[in-house]
Amino acid sequence: MTQEEQAAFVEAYSKNVAHHSKKFVADFVARYETDENMDYSFEQTSIVDALFMWHDAIKWKLEQQMGKA
């Protein structure tokens, strides 16, 4: 994810889930994006789940755009 995409994710997460501060989520996403095999705590599971949904949604959108091209 680009920094702009990370910022958009943090904003969306904060508006829709908001279990953690924006800084906590931003820091976690930045670390997660550099090492997808990192260990994370149970309390960070909601962020990881949201990231998977975010990535799947972007992938689906791109596939739909490619199919219509």
Side-chain angles (χ1 to χ4, degrees):
M1 293 170 84
T2 65
Q3 288 183 338
E4 184 177 282
E5 291 167 336
Q6 288 180 19
F9 172 82
V10 170
E11 190 64 31
Y13 183 90
S14 296
K15 286 182 180 179
N16 294 291
V17 181
H19 293 304
H20 310 290
S21 71
K22 286 183 179 181
K23 180 173 179 4
F24 180 86
V25 175
D27 290 347
F28 178 81
V29 170
R31 285 185 298 120
Y32 187 83
E33 285 294 310
T34 61
D35 182 8
E36 291 188 19
N37 296 318
M38 73 181 229
D39 291 329
Y40 51 88
S41 69
F42 179 76
E43 88 173 358
Q44 296 164 325
T45 301
S46 64
I47 302 170
V48 174
D49 290 345
L51 279 170
F52 284 135
M53 288 185 275
W54 180 270
H55 285 257
D56 285 348
I58 292 170
K59 180 181 173 186
W60 178 84
K61 183 178 179 182
L62 291 173
E63 288 171 350
Q64 296 302 309
Q65 289 174 343
M66 300 272 298
K68 292 180 180 180

